[in-house]
């Protein structure tokens, strides 16, 4: 396994692999790898000759009062995990190589970046789409793997890839959860055992909502959101949003749920912001 930190070096290395007609699968991450990331790596291993994992805590996607500084960075453990999974290349650049002094260029997917998480984390998705564009240009992958845990992110990346004509296939992979249903997240490391129990209310309320939508006849968006809100309010310290939107476009839906939707939640325990979602298709 090669560990490369310079964009020019990895570009040169990849150019040689491409000359040998190797296909490149790419898994972008911020490190602190867990089974969610590993599931993306395994899928990429199955579908490509070469797997590249980037480990980069991207400053431009964090707001001024967010957890950029304290974000976990267990780099050596991440290297071990990647090695074990047969990753071929880790790309781990320093921030100043991605954003040198006087950096001025940003990518923004309009509208989609302003709703849901974007409404509460200003400029977050602008930072995500900018770094992902740069990583696409540096690594030139054939396929890139994203988790549905970050549902809005996956919709935005697909839109950007289509709009900017990147010759890349975006592969989305299911959310990996603890046995009890809690979605794995690098930020779970901030939580005490008691917090982790409270956090369970998110996945539990999502599953309950899914059942209600699937088994009742006409279910209204308002009533489902209210049901979820009751449970989340009891357990979490602050709710950013509970939203039900069209699963493909993230557009608003009318009150009666009659198409495939995503239910998405963002809420805090203390200073830790957790997100989760579930896709539901009403049976009619
Ligand atoms: P992150 O390191 O949090 O930026 O995540 C890197 C990639 O891993 C993103 O595509 C995430 O959606 C994905 N990911 C994070 N958590 C999970 C999970 N629990 N299950 C599946 N994918 C995940």
């Amino acid at each position: 396994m090669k560990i490369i930190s310079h964009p020019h070096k990895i570009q040169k290395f990849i150019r040689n692999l491409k000359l040998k007609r190797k296909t490149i699968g790419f898994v972008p991450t911020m490190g602190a790898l867990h089974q969610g990331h590993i599931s993306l790596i395994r899928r990429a291993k199955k579908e490509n000759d070469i797997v590249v994992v980037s480990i980069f805590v991207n400053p431009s996607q964090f707001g001024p009062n967010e957890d950029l500084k304290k974000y976990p960075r267990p780099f050596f453990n991440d290297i071990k995990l990647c090695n074990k999974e047969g990753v071929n290349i880790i790309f781990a650049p320093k921030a100043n190589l991605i954003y040198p002094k006087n950096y001025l260029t940003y990518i923004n997917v309009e509208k989609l970046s302003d709703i849901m998480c974007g409404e509460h984390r200003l400029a977050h998705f602008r930072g995500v789409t900018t770094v992902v564009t740069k990583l696409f240009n540096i690594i030139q992958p054939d396929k890139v793997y994203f988790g549905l845990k970050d549902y809005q992110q996956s919709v935005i990346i697909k839109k950007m890839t289509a709009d900017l004509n990147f010759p890349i296939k975006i592969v989305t992979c299911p959310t990996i959860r603890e046995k009890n249903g809690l979605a794995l997240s690098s930020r779970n490391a901030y939580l005490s055992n008691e917090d982790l129990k409270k956090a369970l209310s998110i996945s539990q309320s999502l599953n309950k909502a899914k059942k209600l939508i699937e088994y009742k006849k006409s279910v209204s968006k308002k009533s489902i959101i209210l049901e979820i809100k009751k449970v989340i309010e009891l357990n979490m310290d602050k709710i950013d949003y509970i939203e039900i939107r069209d699963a493909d476009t993230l557009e608003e839906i009318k009150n009666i749920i009659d198409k495939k939707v995503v239910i998405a939640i963002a809420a805090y325990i203390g200073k830790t912001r957790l997100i989760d979602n579930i896709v539901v298709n009403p049976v009619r």
Side-chain angles (χ1 to χ4, degrees):
M1 185 175 72
K2 265 195 123 39
I3 302 171
I4 303 179
S5 60
H6 206 293
H8 293 326
K9 280 200 182 139
I10 194 164
Q11 275 175 319
K12 202 171 151 199
F13 198 77
I14 299 254
R15 213 174 298 133
N16 275 326
L17 290 168
K18 294 228 160 199
L19 284 175
K20 292 180 194 150
R21 300 201 173 275
K22 302 285 186 196
T23 58
I24 314 281
F26 174 42
V27 181
T29 83
M30 298 206 299
L33 303 182
H34 51 64
Q35 287 304 313
H37 301 109
I38 301 295
S39 72
L40 307 182
I41 292 171
R42 288 189 180 157
R43 177 91 186 260
K45 277 298 285 181
K46 264 194 210 150
E47 298 181 355
N48 304 274
D49 300 324
I50 298 291
V51 172
V52 181
V53 172
S54 65
I55 297 178
F56 180 60
V57 184
N58 174 34
S60 72
Q61 71 189 67
F62 286 79
N65 298 315
E66 294 185 353
D67 56 342
L68 172 63
K69 274 205 177 130
K70 74 164 187 181
Y71 198 84
R73 290 167 170 87
F75 190 55
F76 291 108
N77 196 52
D78 288 346
I79 291 175
K80 259 202 268 172
L81 286 172
C82 286
N83 200 20
K84 193 166 151 231
E85 294 300 325
V87 168
N88 304 92
I89 308 169
I90 291 180
F91 178 52
K94 287 257 182 326
N96 65 354
L97 291 178
I98 298 297
Y99 302 108
K101 253 192 191 165
N102 302 325
Y103 186 85
L104 288 176
T105 307
Y106 291 87
I107 301 291
N108 193 47
V109 176
E110 303 199 347
K111 292 188 178 155
L112 286 175
S113 296
D114 300 333
I115 57 172
M116 300 163 75
C117 284
E119 214 179 313
H120 300 270
R121 301 185 72 189
L122 302 179
H124 167 68
F125 287 116
R126 173 183 183 258
V128 171
T129 42
T130 298
V131 81
V132 169
T133 299
K134 288 174 69 78
L135 291 169
F136 282 5
N137 284 330
I138 291 168
I139 290 161
Q140 308 257 318
D142 297 281
K143 293 184 181 178
V144 185
Y145 297 79
F146 289 92
L148 287 170
K149 158 82 168 40
D150 299 274
Y151 195 90
Q152 183 178 8
Q153 172 175 282
S154 73
V155 174
I156 290 174
I157 297 290
K158 278 186 191 160
K159 187 78 182 99
M160 179 189 85
T161 304
D163 284 356
L164 294 183
N165 305 94
F166 280 114
I168 292 172
K169 182 168 187 304
I170 303 300
V171 182
T172 52
C173 304
T175 302
I176 304 299
R177 298 174 180 280
E178 304 277 9
K179 274 205 184 94
N180 60 18
L182 180 71
L184 297 191
S185 161
S186 305
R187 289 191 169 95
N188 291 352
Y190 300 146
L191 302 178
S192 67
N193 283 341
E194 203 175 306
D195 292 340
L196 287 167
K197 275 188 208 149
K198 292 184 189 165
L200 261 184
S201 62
I202 300 184
S203 58
Q204 282 171 347
S205 61
L206 286 170
N207 278 318
K208 196 170 157 208
K210 180 177 159 82
K211 279 190 186 136
L212 278 173
I213 295 170
E214 283 177 348
Y215 296 121
K216 274 194 169 178
K217 268 219 163 139
S218 318
V219 195
S220 79
K221 181 171 81 170
K222 276 187 193 150
S223 69
I224 295 287
I225 290 176
L226 213 64
E227 284 291 318
I228 297 176
K229 200 168 167 219
K230 273 193 251 164
V231 182
I232 300 291
E233 263 174 353
L234 275 179
N235 291 282
M236 307 289 285
D237 296 320
K238 187 182 136 202
I239 299 176
D240 262 358
Y241 65 80
I242 302 165
E243 295 226 27
I244 303 182
R245 286 176 176 263
D246 182 290
D248 298 319
T249 62
L250 297 185
E251 276 165 8
E252 301 248 25
I253 56 157
K254 38 189 211 297
N255 197 31
I256 297 299
I257 300 171
D258 59 0
K259 55 159 105 162
K260 191 169 80 163
V261 293
V262 60
I263 313 175
I265 299 177
Y268 283 83
I269 295 184
K271 284 188 171 169
T272 304
R273 187 176 188 273
L274 300 175
I275 56 169
D276 199 355
N277 67 81
I278 201 164
V279 173
V280 188
N281 214 344
V283 187
R284 291 280 177 259

